Amino acid sequence: LPRDEDDYNADAVLEIRAGTGGEEAALFAGELLEAYMKIAKSRGWKVEELNVSKTDIGGIKEAAVSIGSNSGGSYGGGGFDADNDDPLASLGPCGYFRFESGVHRVQRVP
């Protein structure tokens, strides 16, 4: 893929919505949001909840969070670092979460 400057210098807005499946879908959406927020915080990025609609048992119907780097839009100095074993280390929030999209399906196993 060609390099995009937004991969290194742009913040991201992450949206998660529970689909059909009632409370189980809402619980999974809540766990997914928690995982993404934990990843962002572990990379030193600030996470701001823009909108979170919670259910009575702890799940979420929908959520939007802003993920931004603390250093004005770049992470790890920006650009690819060939000496680093982690190819994702130099990416900012937009580049890191760029391909995190789609529908996830959870199915109960009897």
Side-chain angles (χ1 to χ4, degrees):
L1 294 174
R3 299 236 170 119
D4 185 347
E5 196 59 35
D6 286 343
D7 286 348
Y8 306 101
N9 297 320
D11 297 340
V13 174
L14 179 69
E15 295 179 345
I16 296 177
R17 291 183 183 82
T20 57
E23 291 294 334
E24 289 183 10
L27 288 171
F28 177 73
E31 291 176 3
L32 192 61
L33 176 64
E34 185 179 323
Y36 282 128
M37 290 174 63
K38 191 177 285 188
I39 289 169
K41 289 177 181 176
S42 74
R43 294 181 66 85
W45 297 330
K46 66 179 180 180
V47 177
E48 178 185 352
E49 292 183 2
L50 302 175
N51 178 34
V52 178
S53 176
K54 297 183 180 184
T55 63
D56 294 336
I57 63 169
I60 61 163
K61 294 178 185 176
E62 62 181 11
V65 295
S66 173
I67 302 173
S69 62
N70 294 329
S71 59
S74 63
Y75 175 76
F80 181 72
D81 181 7
D83 296 330
N84 193 334
D85 290 337
D86 181 8
L88 302 176
S90 60
L91 295 176
C94 183
Y96 193 84
F97 292 112
R98 176 175 299 256
F99 299 107
E100 293 291 323
S101 65
V103 177
H104 300 285
R105 179 176 179 196
V106 178
Q107 187 169 350
R108 188 183 315 173
V109 177

